[in-house]
Amino acid sequence: KAGVTQTPRYLIKTRGQQVTLSCSPISGHRSVSWYQQTPGQGLQFLFEYFSETQRNKGNFPGRFSGRQFSNSRSEMNVSTLELGDSALYLCASSPGLAGSPGEQYFGPGTRLTVT
Amino acid sequence: GENVEQHPSTLSVQEGDSAVIKCTYSDSASNYFPWYKQELGKRPQLIIDIRSNVGEKKDQRIAVTLNKTAKHFSLHITETQPEDSAVYFCAASFPLGDYKLSFGAGTTVTVRA
């Protein structure tokens, strides 16, 4: 079974631009969660999508949004980029909701640099 | 929402010694506690988990203990080896409507040869 994939792997943007990141979950997984990882801040939860519906949301501004398609692939969008948005963005998929017992499988991440 | 605190943030141990990482959570309804390991440049991977109806779980050199009364859980690594060097994240899941998973800030473990 193919693992979780994320595209692109690296991205450089300038302040004020917007960006869209993509995540393809493991086949059969219905949940996709997004996390922002920065040094010293751990894994900050952005949101979770399950069967095309946003089920949980973290404490991020409205500039961060996402969606999930019928094939469970998910996209995350960040508008009006700020320098502080530079981070590794990880997505993770699981068969059920992320908080239910069982492993979340993480993708390799997209490294976003905002200049 | 759930708040998970993880200590220490960094831990250096001599090869062969034990390492202990402790996490506390705020919501007494939390019922699932996984631990993830992230090696340098790699993605996080689940190494062990425990449910609230169990006090301890062991898998070879790693073990997790849960104290529901005190609302804390710990990861124990015995006979540490260089390949145990990584960042370890604890997490807690609480059923607020849907299950929600909250992660701790991570512990960077360095095993000295």
Side-chain angles (χ1 to χ4, degrees):
Chain A
K1 216 179 229 185
V4 179
T5 59
Q6 291 185 245
T7 56
R9 293 293 311 280
Y10 302 91
L11 206 49
I12 300 175
K13 291 284 189 178
T14 56
R15 278 180 298 175
Q17 287 187 313
Q18 72 160 13
V19 66
T20 298
L21 312 181
S22 179
C23 174
S24 292
I26 291 173
S27 177
H29 285 192
R30 297 165 66 187
S31 167
V32 174
S33 296
W34 288 90
Y35 298 89
Q36 181 192 67
Q37 185 172 32
T38 54
Q41 293 297 315
L43 294 166
Q44 299 291 312
F45 172 73
L46 282 152
F47 29 66
E48 177 185 9
Y49 286 86
F50 185 87
S51 294
E52 303 179 64
T53 302
Q54 187 180 89
R55 302 298 286 266
N56 284 304
K57 192 175 189 302
N59 297 322
F60 278 80
R63 300 186 297 107
F64 292 82
S65 63
R67 59 177 175 169
Q68 186 180 36
F69 302 95
S70 58
N71 61 357
S72 292
R73 188 178 70 87
S74 177
E75 288 182 346
M76 188 191 91
N77 185 76
V78 188
S79 62
T80 320
L81 284 166
E82 300 177 359
L83 294 179
D85 297 333
S86 295
L88 179 67
Y89 291 88
L90 291 162
C91 75
S93 77
S94 53
L97 287 169
S100 57
E103 182 167 2
Q104 276 194 294
Y105 295 85
F106 283 83
T110 294
R111 173 74 64 186
L112 172 65
T113 302
V114 182
T115 62
Chain B
E2 176 66 283
N3 184 43
V4 179
E5 293 191 358
Q6 183 171 348
H7 299 281
S9 58
T10 60
L11 182 59
S12 179
V13 296
Q14 190 69 38
E15 183 177 357
D17 288 350
S18 295
V20 180
I21 304 169
K22 182 176 176 179
C23 289
T24 59
Y25 58 98
S26 58
D27 194 320
S28 57
S30 295
N31 57 8
Y32 174 61
F33 308 90
W35 285 88
Y36 283 80
K37 175 184 180 182
Q38 186 177 27
E39 297 178 30
L40 189 63
K42 297 190 176 181
R43 65 192 78 184
Q45 287 190 299
L46 180 73
I47 54 171
I48 196 168
D49 57 8
I50 192 168
R51 302 190 190 195
S52 59
N53 59 348
V54 176
E56 183 175 358
K57 185 177 179 181
K58 190 173 181 179
D59 183 4
Q60 299 182 352
R61 295 187 298 106
I62 60 173
V64 57
T65 58
L66 172 64
N67 184 325
K68 287 190 293 183
T69 303
K71 291 189 283 187
H72 68 70
F73 57 111
S74 299
L75 178 72
H76 304 254
I77 307 173
T78 59
E79 300 173 21
T80 54
Q81 300 170 5
E83 54 264 37
D84 295 329
S85 295
V87 180
Y88 293 81
F89 295 97
C90 64
S93 170
F94 63 107
L96 180 67
D98 294 327
Y99 289 102
K100 188 170 182 179
L101 192 66
S102 294
F103 281 87
T107 297
T108 301
V109 174
T110 303
V111 180
R112 307 187 307 272

